[in-house]
């Protein structure tokens, strides 16, 4: 375990240093060129908005972060489950494939974000329309990647079980699904980013809380430091989700981890 | 010059057996190709007796793999007959197949790869665990049961696939150039191993290769096929006592067999 932490620090140290360097240069530029705070606030100013109690207390950060985070997580889990399930259905049955594929292609060609105003009309303000927007945006990468993975099985691997007269269920459980895991995770990683995008767009249009809502609110008052603070928090949410998926991937596919080592 | 496949007589350990395990008559396979017919396998006939080691040699593209896949039920035949003595073995469950590539499932540890046929045949996995360990020991991979395939060398992977083909105790083992991708040294070791496993387990093996020395060394009988248009040229019985040592290759008789096969393959 101690070794694990050591390698983690070893890997993380250069990245942390680069990030700090970036902040220092940013701070210097703002100070040296005397850039006005509503154009580009200094990183110290942004961090004050987040963490310096007298200023931070004015903003209900936890409420907004919590709202956005919940939307991202719920929409991500929903896209993952629905996406993988539908991909399995498409690959399982040719009838399902013919039935669902045209619908998926049609919906995928639609700019999904354009659905957000419609969802506002249908579902009003709040949680549900935001999740639906995120779902619509993030769903297709999972379906398309998972289906591609399930189809992309070497013919020889099928021979390997077919000469023993394997059932269709056995072929799925023992060959197709494990074989598609790398594809599924690639889809999930795209989907995670898209869930953040979808949630924010939903909040722009129909919300009374969340970081997207706060961004628009701050924009109305030209409160640039708050806007930057929102962007900072959004990137943290995105990174956290991405990291979590990476960890899950290592857990589910230990054979890949060994290859890296 | 060319000896025809014998009917009703076999050589080797089961010389007295008159009953064939597998009998192939005028087997033919054509694939449709852009409106025309591509003959993948022209009329092939031979018999396999229980416990025999039969090798099929021929140039690339002569339909050797197609033949094996038809026997395994992976491809439908176009014409001819395959007669299986179902009193001797169940062709849907008692066949083992070693493919050209190791084809290990990279998400499974070695032991679970070996146990794959047990799962597919819905046999009791617990009962076969110790047998799988034995099989791994038999192929010289003791201690590797928890490794992942990508941690093994090519030769080790192919040996895992051999253990996998044996785990469900098949009567008939089909081997499609299993050592083709191995280096010469590993290959010779594997030939000796295979002979040992075969003689210990009393299996019937149909083996494909385009390596003449390998064919003569391993086989009771070598069936020769020609290049496209694919057809069967004939068969040669190999009459060396078992177990054979690698030195058998230096005997004049071995050379005569090889020359005979080269002639049948029209390599002169």
């Amino acid at each position: 375990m101690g070794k694990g932490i050591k390698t983690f620090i070893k890997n993380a140290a250069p990245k942390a240093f680069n990030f700090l360097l970036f902040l220092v240069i940013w701070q210097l530029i703002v100070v040296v060129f005397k850039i006005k705070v509503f154009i580009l606030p200094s990183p110290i100013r942004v961090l004050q908005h987040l963490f310096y109690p007298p200023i931070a207390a004015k903003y209900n950060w936890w409420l907004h972060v919590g709202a956005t985070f919940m939307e991202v997580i719920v929409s991500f889990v929903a896209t993952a489950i629905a996406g993988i399930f539908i991909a399995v259905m498409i690959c399982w049955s040719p009838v399902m494939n013919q039935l669902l594929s045209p619908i998926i292609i049609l919906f995928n060609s639609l700019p999904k974000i354009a659905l957000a105003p419609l969802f506002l009309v249908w579902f009003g303000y709040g949680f549900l329309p935001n999740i639906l927007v995120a779902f619509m945006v993030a769903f297709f990468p999972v379906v398309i990647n998972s289906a591609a993975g399930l189809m992309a099985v070497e013919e020889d691997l099928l021979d390997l079980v077919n000469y023993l007269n394997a059932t269709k269920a056995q072929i799925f459980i023992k060959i197709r699904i494990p074989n598609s895991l790398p594809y599924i995770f690639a889809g999930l990683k795209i989907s995670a980013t898209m869930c953040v995008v979808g949630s924010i767009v939903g909040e722009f249009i129909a919300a009374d809380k969340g970081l997207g809502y706060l961004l628009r609110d701050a924009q109305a008052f030209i409160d640039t430091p708050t806007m930057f603070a929102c962007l900072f928090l959004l990137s943290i949410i995105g990174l956290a989700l991405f990291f979590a998926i990476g960890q899950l991937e290592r857990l589910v596919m230990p054979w890949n981890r060994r290859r890296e080592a | 010059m060319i000896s025809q496949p014998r009917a009703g007589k076999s050589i080797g350990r089961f010389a007295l057996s008159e009953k064939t395990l597998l009998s192939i008559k005028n087997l033919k396979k054509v694939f449709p190709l852009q409106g025309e017919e591509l003959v993948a396998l022209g009329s092939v006939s031979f018999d396999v007796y229980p416990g025999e080691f039969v090798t099929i040699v021929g140039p690339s593209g002569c339909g050797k793999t197609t033949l094996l896949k038809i026997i395994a039920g992976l491809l439908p035949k176009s014409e001819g007959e395959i007669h299986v003595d179902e009193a001797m073995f169940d062709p849907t469950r008692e066949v083992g197949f070693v493919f050209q590539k190791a084809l290990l499932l990279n998400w499974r540890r070695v032991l679970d790869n070996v146990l794959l046929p047990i799962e597919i045949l819905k046999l009791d996995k617990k009962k076969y665990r110790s047998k799988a360990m034995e099989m791994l020991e038999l192929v010289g991979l003791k201690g590797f049961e928890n490794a992942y395939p990508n941690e093994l060398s090519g030769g080790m992977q192919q040996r895992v696939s051999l253990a996998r083909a044996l785990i469900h105790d098949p009567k008939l083992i089909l081997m499609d150039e299993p050592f083709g991708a191995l280096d010469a040294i590993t290959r010779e070791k594997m030939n000796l191993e295979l002979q040992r496993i075969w003689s210990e387990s009393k299996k019937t093996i149909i083996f494909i290769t385009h390596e003449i020395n390998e064919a003569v060394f391993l086989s009771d009988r070598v069936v020769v096929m020609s290049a496209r248009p694919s057809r069967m040229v004939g068969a040669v019985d190999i009459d060396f006592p078992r177990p054979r040592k690698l030195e058998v290759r230096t005997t004049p008789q071995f050379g005569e067999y090889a020359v005979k096969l080269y002639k049948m393959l029209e390599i002169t």
Side-chain angles (χ1 to χ4, degrees), chain A residues 133-149:
Chain A
V133 177
F135 182 87
M136 289 302 290
V137 175
F139 170 69
F140 297 97
V142 183
V143 180
I144 291 165
N145 266 284
S146 306

PDB file of all heavy atoms in Angstrom, chain A residues 133-149:
ATOM      1  N   VAL A 133     -31.670  16.266 -20.553  1.00  0.00           N
ATOM      2  CA  VAL A 133     -30.771  16.856 -21.548  1.00  0.00           C
ATOM      3  C   VAL A 133     -29.426  16.128 -21.507  1.00  0.00           C
ATOM      4  O   VAL A 133     -28.893  15.717 -22.543  1.00  0.00           O
ATOM      5  CB  VAL A 133     -30.565  18.374 -21.293  1.00  0.00           C
ATOM      6  CG1 VAL A 133     -29.562  18.934 -22.288  1.00  0.00           C
ATOM      7  CG2 VAL A 133     -31.880  19.118 -21.402  1.00  0.00           C
ATOM      8  N   ALA A 134     -28.906  15.945 -20.293  1.00  0.00           N
ATOM      9  CA  ALA A 134     -27.619  15.257 -20.156  1.00  0.00           C
ATOM     10  C   ALA A 134     -27.703  13.845 -20.725  1.00  0.00           C
ATOM     11  O   ALA A 134     -26.798  13.383 -21.429  1.00  0.00           O
ATOM     12  CB  ALA A 134     -27.200  15.211 -18.685  1.00  0.00           C
ATOM     13  N   PHE A 135     -28.795  13.174 -20.446  1.00  0.00           N
ATOM     14  CA  PHE A 135     -28.989  11.812 -20.939  1.00  0.00           C
ATOM     15  C   PHE A 135     -28.956  11.790 -22.470  1.00  0.00           C
ATOM     16  O   PHE A 135     -28.264  10.972 -23.088  1.00  0.00           O
ATOM     17  CB  PHE A 135     -30.315  11.255 -20.417  1.00  0.00           C
ATOM     18  CG  PHE A 135     -30.580   9.841 -20.838  1.00  0.00           C
ATOM     19  CD1 PHE A 135     -30.108   8.771 -20.092  1.00  0.00           C
ATOM     20  CD2 PHE A 135     -31.303   9.572 -22.000  1.00  0.00           C
ATOM     21  CE1 PHE A 135     -30.345   7.477 -20.480  1.00  0.00           C
ATOM     22  CE2 PHE A 135     -31.545   8.274 -22.399  1.00  0.00           C
ATOM     23  CZ  PHE A 135     -31.068   7.221 -21.640  1.00  0.00           C
ATOM     24  N   MET A 136     -29.724  12.712 -23.070  1.00  0.00           N
ATOM     25  CA  MET A 136     -29.791  12.746 -24.542  1.00  0.00           C
ATOM     26  C   MET A 136     -28.420  12.992 -25.160  1.00  0.00           C
ATOM     27  O   MET A 136     -28.080  12.419 -26.193  1.00  0.00           O
ATOM     28  CB  MET A 136     -30.754  13.851 -24.995  1.00  0.00           C
ATOM     29  CG  MET A 136     -32.218  13.570 -24.730  1.00  0.00           C
ATOM     30  SD  MET A 136     -32.806  12.061 -25.513  1.00  0.00           S
ATOM     31  CE  MET A 136     -32.792  12.538 -27.224  1.00  0.00           C
ATOM     32  N   VAL A 137     -27.652  13.863 -24.531  1.00  0.00           N
ATOM     33  CA  VAL A 137     -26.345  14.199 -25.090  1.00  0.00           C
ATOM     34  C   VAL A 137     -25.357  13.040 -24.922  1.00  0.00           C
ATOM     35  O   VAL A 137     -24.547  12.764 -25.808  1.00  0.00           O
ATOM     36  CB  VAL A 137     -25.793  15.482 -24.410  1.00  0.00           C
ATOM     37  CG1 VAL A 137     -24.388  15.779 -24.892  1.00  0.00           C
ATOM     38  CG2 VAL A 137     -26.704  16.661 -24.698  1.00  0.00           C
ATOM     39  N   ALA A 138     -25.450  12.338 -23.781  1.00  0.00           N
ATOM     40  CA  ALA A 138     -24.397  11.383 -23.424  1.00  0.00           C
ATOM     41  C   ALA A 138     -24.721   9.938 -23.766  1.00  0.00           C
ATOM     42  O   ALA A 138     -23.858   9.068 -23.708  1.00  0.00           O
ATOM     43  CB  ALA A 138     -24.114  11.490 -21.922  1.00  0.00           C
ATOM     44  N   PHE A 139     -25.954   9.680 -24.140  1.00  0.00           N
ATOM     45  CA  PHE A 139     -26.433   8.317 -24.323  1.00  0.00           C
ATOM     46  C   PHE A 139     -25.811   7.628 -25.545  1.00  0.00           C
ATOM     47  O   PHE A 139     -25.368   6.475 -25.484  1.00  0.00           O
ATOM     48  CB  PHE A 139     -27.957   8.380 -24.451  1.00  0.00           C
ATOM     49  CG  PHE A 139     -28.617   7.111 -24.877  1.00  0.00           C
ATOM     50  CD1 PHE A 139     -28.645   6.014 -24.026  1.00  0.00           C
ATOM     51  CD2 PHE A 139     -29.214   7.010 -26.116  1.00  0.00           C
ATOM     52  CE1 PHE A 139     -29.281   4.851 -24.408  1.00  0.00           C
ATOM     53  CE2 PHE A 139     -29.844   5.844 -26.510  1.00  0.00           C
ATOM     54  CZ  PHE A 139     -29.869   4.763 -25.658  1.00  0.00           C
ATOM     55  N   PHE A 140     -25.737   8.359 -26.649  1.00  0.00           N
ATOM     56  CA  PHE A 140     -25.358   7.723 -27.911  1.00  0.00           C
ATOM     57  C   PHE A 140     -23.920   7.196 -27.957  1.00  0.00           C
ATOM     58  O   PHE A 140     -23.692   6.117 -28.503  1.00  0.00           O
ATOM     59  CB  PHE A 140     -25.672   8.656 -29.082  1.00  0.00           C
ATOM     60  CG  PHE A 140     -27.143   8.931 -29.178  1.00  0.00           C
ATOM     61  CD1 PHE A 140     -27.681  10.085 -28.634  1.00  0.00           C
ATOM     62  CD2 PHE A 140     -28.000   7.998 -29.731  1.00  0.00           C
ATOM     63  CE1 PHE A 140     -29.051  10.314 -28.675  1.00  0.00           C
ATOM     64  CE2 PHE A 140     -29.372   8.219 -29.770  1.00  0.00           C
ATOM     65  CZ  PHE A 140     -29.897   9.377 -29.238  1.00  0.00           C
ATOM     66  N   PRO A 141     -22.960   7.937 -27.408  1.00  0.00           N
ATOM     67  CA  PRO A 141     -21.610   7.356 -27.417  1.00  0.00           C
ATOM     68  C   PRO A 141     -21.542   5.985 -26.732  1.00  0.00           C
ATOM     69  O   PRO A 141     -20.791   5.112 -27.183  1.00  0.00           O
ATOM     70  CB  PRO A 141     -20.776   8.378 -26.637  1.00  0.00           C
ATOM     71  CG  PRO A 141     -21.545   9.635 -26.687  1.00  0.00           C
ATOM     72  CD  PRO A 141     -22.989   9.275 -26.822  1.00  0.00           C
ATOM     73  N   VAL A 142     -22.341   5.806 -25.672  1.00  0.00           N
ATOM     74  CA  VAL A 142     -22.311   4.511 -24.975  1.00  0.00           C
ATOM     75  C   VAL A 142     -22.911   3.419 -25.858  1.00  0.00           C
ATOM     76  O   VAL A 142     -22.330   2.350 -26.032  1.00  0.00           O
ATOM     77  CB  VAL A 142     -23.080   4.573 -23.632  1.00  0.00           C
ATOM     78  CG1 VAL A 142     -22.969   3.241 -22.905  1.00  0.00           C
ATOM     79  CG2 VAL A 142     -22.556   5.693 -22.763  1.00  0.00           C
ATOM     80  N   VAL A 143     -24.070   3.694 -26.448  1.00  0.00           N
ATOM     81  CA  VAL A 143     -24.721   2.683 -27.293  1.00  0.00           C
ATOM     82  C   VAL A 143     -23.816   2.312 -28.459  1.00  0.00           C
ATOM     83  O   VAL A 143     -23.579   1.124 -28.729  1.00  0.00           O
ATOM     84  CB  VAL A 143     -26.053   3.209 -27.881  1.00  0.00           C
ATOM     85  CG1 VAL A 143     -26.696   2.134 -28.746  1.00  0.00           C
ATOM     86  CG2 VAL A 143     -26.988   3.614 -26.784  1.00  0.00           C
ATOM     87  N   ILE A 144     -23.313   3.330 -29.139  1.00  0.00           N
ATOM     88  CA  ILE A 144     -22.572   3.074 -30.371  1.00  0.00           C
ATOM     89  C   ILE A 144     -21.274   2.329 -30.068  1.00  0.00           C
ATOM     90  O   ILE A 144     -20.946   1.333 -30.716  1.00  0.00           O
ATOM     91  CB  ILE A 144     -22.322   4.399 -31.129  1.00  0.00           C
ATOM     92  CG1 ILE A 144     -23.670   4.912 -31.659  1.00  0.00           C
ATOM     93  CG2 ILE A 144     -21.338   4.206 -32.264  1.00  0.00           C
ATOM     94  CD1 ILE A 144     -23.670   6.345 -32.110  1.00  0.00           C
ATOM     95  N   ASN A 145     -20.554   2.769 -29.030  1.00  0.00           N
ATOM     96  CA  ASN A 145     -19.315   2.077 -28.659  1.00  0.00           C
ATOM     97  C   ASN A 145     -19.566   0.657 -28.193  1.00  0.00           C
ATOM     98  O   ASN A 145     -18.859  -0.269 -28.586  1.00  0.00           O
ATOM     99  CB  ASN A 145     -18.595   2.841 -27.554  1.00  0.00           C
ATOM    100  CG  ASN A 145     -17.557   3.792 -28.101  1.00  0.00           C
ATOM    101  OD1 ASN A 145     -16.493   3.390 -28.511  1.00  0.00           O
ATOM    102  ND2 ASN A 145     -17.907   5.050 -28.155  1.00  0.00           N
ATOM    103  N   SER A 146     -20.577   0.491 -27.327  1.00  0.00           N
ATOM    104  CA  SER A 146     -20.837  -0.850 -26.789  1.00  0.00           C
ATOM    105  C   SER A 146     -21.251  -1.809 -27.905  1.00  0.00           C
ATOM    106  O   SER A 146     -20.795  -2.953 -27.952  1.00  0.00           O
ATOM    107  CB  SER A 146     -21.932  -0.797 -25.723  1.00  0.00           C
ATOM    108  OG  SER A 146     -21.605   0.140 -24.740  1.00  0.00           O
ATOM    109  N   ALA A 147     -22.117  -1.333 -28.798  1.00  0.00           N
ATOM    110  CA  ALA A 147     -22.572  -2.189 -29.895  1.00  0.00           C
ATOM    111  C   ALA A 147     -21.386  -2.577 -30.785  1.00  0.00           C
ATOM    112  O   ALA A 147     -21.249  -3.737 -31.181  1.00  0.00           O
ATOM    113  CB  ALA A 147     -23.647  -1.487 -30.702  1.00  0.00           C
ATOM    114  N   ALA A 148     -20.517  -1.597 -31.057  1.00  0.00           N
ATOM    115  CA  ALA A 148     -19.338  -1.892 -31.878  1.00  0.00           C
ATOM    116  C   ALA A 148     -18.482  -2.963 -31.199  1.00  0.00           C
ATOM    117  O   ALA A 148     -18.005  -3.899 -31.844  1.00  0.00           O
ATOM    118  CB  ALA A 148     -18.528  -0.624 -32.113  1.00  0.00           C
ATOM    119  N   GLY A 149     -18.314  -2.843 -29.884  1.00  0.00           N
ATOM    120  CA  GLY A 149     -17.517  -3.812 -29.135  1.00  0.00           C
ATOM    121  C   GLY A 149     -18.119  -5.204 -29.154  1.00  0.00           C
ATOM    122  O   GLY A 149     -17.420  -6.199 -29.301  1.00  0.00           O
TER     123      GLY A 149
END
